[in-house]
Amino acid sequence: MLHATLSGPEGAPVVAFLHAVGISSWMWHDVAAALPDCRSLLVDLPGHGQSRNVPWRSLEDSADQVAAAITAEADGQDIHLVGLSLGSYVGLHLCLRHPDLCRSALLSGIHPGGMPKRGLMKLMSAVMAPLAPMPFVARRTARMMGARADVEGFVKAARQTRASAFRRATNDVVDFTCPSDPAIPQTRLAFVAGGREHPLIREGLSEFRNRFPGSVSAVAPGLGHGWAGEDPQLFADFITAHMAERLADTVQTQ
């Protein structure tokens, strides 16, 4: 079973957070703190954080394990899913494989497929995997992800990552392709991106919107891939708006 912690006021809607590769659910603490009227379920993905001894197998397997963790911790409650980067790929698989588990899902920093130079990306993943948890690399990653307030906290969380999980998870993201004719989940989907993200992610928002009728897409202007760390309050505002079905009315949409 994946490690998960649930906190917040009894009876409030549950927001389940899925983190990026090479870090842990620690990355969500500031966003969760900006949602005082929600219960936060912080999940460590396989090979990361306090789930580091759980082997990473695939995006699909991770999605099933997250679903089991959500059910164990918050069965019968009103659940909303939030993912960033790796967490979004796992989150989309969860919505497709467990279509009635979450009421809504906000997925940031995900591309629909067709990543260029996949061989080179996998080579870089193999090189970076043993280095990523090292403090000097983790500090650089922390700055890239916007974790300026607590860089050493980021470093401590990153050091828990298994090199094998980093490599395998990254390769799964590189190979990811959204099904051309996916089943339509019951979950209300929002696909979002930072305004300074890679064009593959920003331009993919319209493709996700076309593939999932009824979904919405939005951009956080001027922010990068790790914008949950750059502006936790804005990220929390996006979550609140999507939970209330007001995301398209309150932020810059695509």
Side-chain angles (χ1 to χ4, degrees):
M1 179 69 73
L2 298 179
H3 183 270
T5 57
L6 181 64
S7 61
E10 292 286 342
V14 175
V15 180
F17 291 95
L18 304 181
H19 59 81
V21 71
I23 186 62
S24 71
S25 59
W26 172 91
M27 66 166 281
W28 292 113
H29 286 175
D30 288 345
V31 176
L35 295 167
D37 296 327
C38 296
R39 303 193 83 190
S40 295
L41 180 60
L42 303 180
V43 182
D44 285 341
L45 295 174
H48 295 74
Q50 294 188 62
S51 299
R52 70 187 310 269
N53 291 326
V54 179
W56 179 277
R57 295 187 176 92
S58 66
L59 293 171
E60 294 86 351
D61 174 75
S62 295
D64 291 342
Q65 293 200 57
V66 170
I70 291 174
T71 301
E73 294 288 340
D75 187 32
Q77 300 182 56
D78 191 15
I79 298 166
H80 301 266
L81 187 68
V82 173
L84 183 125
S85 196
L86 175 63
S88 291
Y89 296 92
V90 174
L92 182 57
H93 279 290
L94 186 152
C95 293
L96 295 174
R97 295 168 70 85
H98 305 272
D100 59 350
L101 183 60
C102 300
R103 184 178 295 273
S104 74
L106 186 146
L107 307 176
S108 181
I110 179 173
H111 78 286
M115 184 176 287
K117 302 179 180 178
R118 288 189 294 174
L120 177 59
M121 295 297 292
K122 290 182 179 182
L123 176 61
M124 291 175 61
S125 171
V127 172
M128 285 299 301
L131 300 176
M134 294 184 177
F136 74 97
V137 177
R139 290 188 183 97
R140 181 175 178 273
T141 304
R143 289 189 291 270
M144 291 173 58
M145 294 291 288
R148 298 181 180 88
D150 189 4
V151 171
E152 294 310 308
F154 187 103
V155 170
K156 182 178 179 181
R159 291 185 69 177
Q160 296 177 295
T161 306
R162 293 279 190 188
S164 58
F166 183 99
R167 177 177 55 81
R168 291 171 182 169
T170 301
N171 289 350
D172 285 345
V173 167
V174 169
D175 286 335
F176 174 80
T177 298
C178 183
S180 58
D181 187 21
I184 306 302
Q186 299 174 37
T187 311
R188 287 189 297 103
L189 296 173
F191 297 94
V192 300
R196 294 189 287 104
E197 293 236 40
H198 192 283
L200 186 65
I201 292 175
R202 288 187 284 106
E203 294 168 6
L205 293 177
S206 60
E207 187 169 346
F208 279 121
R209 191 172 63 247
N210 291 335
R211 292 191 183 189
F212 295 98
S215 66
V216 297
S217 58
V219 170
L223 299 176
H225 185 64
W227 65 284
E230 292 181 86
D231 195 336
Q233 183 61 61
L234 180 62
F235 204 104
D237 291 344
F238 270 52
I239 295 170
T240 301
H242 185 49
M243 290 172 62
E245 302 185 50
R246 295 185 291 102
L247 184 64
D249 299 327
T250 56
V251 299
Q252 179 182 337
T253 58
Q254 290 290 293

